[in-house]
Amino acid sequence: MSELTFDRKLRNYAELAIKMGVGLQPGQRLLVRAPVDSAPLVRLITEAAYKAGSPLVEVLWGDDALTLARFNYAPRDSFEAYPDWYVSALLEIAECGGAVLSVLATDPDLLKDQDPELVALTQKVHRTKTQPFMKKLMNDDLNWSIISQPIPGWAAKIFPGEPPAAQMSKLWDVIFVVCRADQPDPVAAWQAHIAHLAERRDKLNAKQYTALKYSAPGTDLTLGMPKHHLWHAGQKKTLGGIPFIPNIPTEEVFSAPHKDRVDGIVTSTKPLSYGGRLIDNFTLTFEQGRVVSVTAEKGEDTLKKLLEMDEGAARLGEVALVPHSSPISQSGLLFFNTLFDENAASHLALGKAYRFCVKGGTEMDDDRFAAVGGNNSLTHVDFMIGSKEMDIDGVTGSGHTEPLMRGGEWVD
Ligand code: ZN
Ligand code: ZN
């Protein structure tokens, strides 16, 4: 058990978000997006940001109750309405050289009783409207980060049967541990962690596998890799050279698969929370990169809607490797939140590939990026496929196959 008090850990967490997450530099404005429940944390984040030399910190508040009110009561034909000022605010921050921090916390079942058409429509409108900003974000124009914090609806889902106060404090404890905020010097702990991930990334980049082969119960998949692909992990740098960590926590090493060279079947190992609905126990069958059939025990409609969002939504845009022994996996919990669950298991993502996963990708236009195998889509949704039964092989340029992971763990 950690000896630090809750207040100290909360302060550590806020400092981590500023110093390691966004890596805020003196003179940089900060925009925070957060649920109202996270006000105590956001106040500490704001303090840490001003102490780091920010001239202006602003917060855009929202929460689940506000989202739900719209779905429950707004006119059914009004779901294309969108606040353009919201996009302007994000672009203003990017253009003035500022940074963005998001505190992501939502009840995974929030929209379970809502019309999937409307849920898909709001996702699509949001993605379409914010695309100019997302482009800047994906091209590393600015430093940004996503963290999380417990809210009652979400904590109840993770610890059902516990009294509400215990649900919240248990979830806080886990988050502090997996984010290393329980450590006396969390910044030093993160620096060591980042160095470790970088070593793994560099090894994979040197290998330049032409394909990865996955096998596990319900999974037999060959996933081609683009030429000159780049693996990434942990810390990144903006085009201007500011180091930042997009996700806290992070355990993954990831790249982009070739959008036309994925064949076989893959089975999910954790439920996917998408747009406030759960998709569970699903399989995707790929032919030449495209999903040709799906099955799902739960949320098949939602999954099909997701795949139909656009042409790229039925192809892969991310391949990520995470050992089964990761601290998040060891917590034994299902978080119903990609920020945590994606760091518990090897995963893939449907939809958009990150340009920076191919050498020179950020300078390519859409056609050029597609020609080298990069997928484009409005969406990007991670789903977990890793388990302690998963083996992964790498295929080298000379066609040689070598073991990469066995039983969910790195071979070397
Ligand atoms: Zn990922
Ligand atoms: Zn992803």
Side-chain angles (χ1 to χ4, degrees):
M1 268 307 257
S2 163
E3 289 158 30
L4 305 186
T5 62
F6 179 86
D7 288 349
R8 172 71 194 283
K9 286 186 272 193
L10 195 66
R11 197 168 285 275
N12 277 354
Y13 193 38
E15 281 174 9
L16 271 179
I18 291 302
K19 290 181 183 164
M20 298 302 294
V22 286
L24 199 70
Q25 302 296 304
Q28 276 198 301
R29 277 172 59 181
L30 178 69
L31 182 68
V32 182
R33 299 186 280 184
V36 226
D37 278 302
S38 68
L41 173 65
V42 172
R43 290 183 192 115
L44 293 176
I45 285 170
T46 303
E47 266 182 36
Y50 283 123
K51 283 181 188 163
S54 177
L56 185 59
V57 181
E58 293 150 291
V59 186
L60 291 174
W61 299 103
D63 77 3
D64 278 356
L66 302 179
T67 305
L68 195 57
R70 185 182 189 197
F71 275 94
N72 280 338
Y73 307 115
R76 299 297 91 180
D77 61 356
S78 68
F79 283 74
E80 284 189 66
Y82 196 85
D84 288 324
W85 65 261
Y86 179 74
V87 184
S88 308
L90 292 170
L91 287 172
E92 180 181 318
I93 286 293
E95 275 148 23
C96 77
V100 175
L101 176 67
S102 303
V103 182
L104 214 95
T106 185
D107 176 349
D109 276 336
L110 183 72
L111 304 178
K112 71 175 188 321
D113 299 325
Q114 305 298 327
D115 178 359
E117 298 274 356
L118 286 186
V119 175
L121 178 62
T122 49
Q123 290 276 339
K124 187 166 185 172
V125 171
H126 176 69
R127 299 241 166 214
T128 308
K129 290 285 189 177
T130 52
Q131 219 191 0
F133 174 73
M134 291 310 287
K135 209 163 185 177
K136 289 182 180 292
L137 205 111
M138 297 296 168
N139 283 348
D140 301 330
D141 280 0
L142 70 154
N143 41 332
W144 57 278
S145 191
I146 302 174
I147 63 166
S148 190
Q149 86 135 62
I151 57 165
W154 177 37
K157 181 86 190 161
I158 304 179
F159 300 106
E162 302 265 356
Q167 291 169 337
M168 287 292 283
S169 73
K170 280 192 164 185
L171 185 50
W172 267 121
D173 281 345
V174 178
I175 289 179
F176 285 146
V177 170
V178 300
C179 296
R180 300 171 170 81
D182 65 327
Q183 312 215 2
D185 188 348
V187 171
W190 267 93
Q191 279 160 345
H193 177 50
I194 289 300
H196 188 74
L197 285 172
E199 213 175 287
R200 184 64 65 190
R201 172 199 66 200
D202 294 346
K203 266 191 200 171
L204 284 166
N205 278 334
K207 287 284 185 188
Q208 284 296 307
Y209 289 123
T210 57
L212 301 182
K213 284 176 180 279
Y214 292 76
S215 66
T219 293
D220 181 6
L221 188 76
T222 301
L223 185 137
M225 295 296 294
K227 267 189 187 157
H228 309 300
H229 62 264
L230 294 170
W231 291 88
H232 292 268
Q235 200 166 48
K236 305 193 65 192
K237 272 190 181 152
T238 64
L239 296 177
I242 302 172
F244 67 102
I245 303 174
N247 292 347
I248 286 186
T250 183
E251 305 285 337
E252 62 171 351
V253 184
F254 69 97
S255 186
H258 193 293
K259 72 178 182 69
D260 302 323
R261 290 177 40 223
V262 183
D263 289 278
I265 185 163
V266 66
T267 298
S268 67
T269 50
K270 283 173 186 288
L272 165 62
S273 168
Y274 174 71
R277 300 168 71 96
L278 276 185
I279 307 168
D280 202 6
N281 284 327
F282 58 97
T283 68
L284 300 172
T285 304
F286 289 88
E287 274 175 31
Q288 297 182 347
R290 198 166 198 290
V291 176
V292 291
S293 73
V294 301
T295 64
E297 247 170 48
K298 194 176 172 189
E300 194 170 298
D301 283 359
T302 310
L303 179 57
K304 283 183 173 160
K305 282 264 165 345
L306 162 61
L307 291 166
E308 285 162 9
M309 185 182 277
D310 55 28
E311 166 60 25
R315 294 178 186 271
L316 296 180
E318 180 188 340
V319 46
L321 303 172
V322 180
H324 186 70
S325 58
S326 93
I328 295 155
S329 171
Q330 291 311 299
S331 75
L333 294 171
L334 181 64
F335 288 86
F336 306 98
N337 177 335
T338 301
L339 185 61
F340 295 91
D341 291 328
E342 77 159 338
N343 288 301
S346 287
H347 56 274
L348 303 171
L350 289 164
K352 184 193 280 293
Y354 300 116
R355 295 294 177 107
F356 51 73
C357 289
V358 176
K359 202 175 168 191
T362 52
E363 279 96 58
M364 294 176 185
D365 62 18
D366 286 356
D367 291 346
R368 179 89 194 99
F369 187 59
V372 300
N375 193 32
N376 195 16
S377 171
L378 282 175
T379 195
H380 176 104
V381 181
D382 291 42
F383 62 97
M384 309 312 135
I385 61 166
S387 69
K388 63 177 193 300
E389 294 164 299
M390 172 160 274
D391 293 342
I392 306 176
D393 288 338
V395 183
T396 66
S398 56
H400 192 77
T401 296
E402 55 188 36
L404 189 57
M405 288 185 129
R406 283 291 175 270
E409 299 300 327
W410 294 108
V411 166
D412 65 292

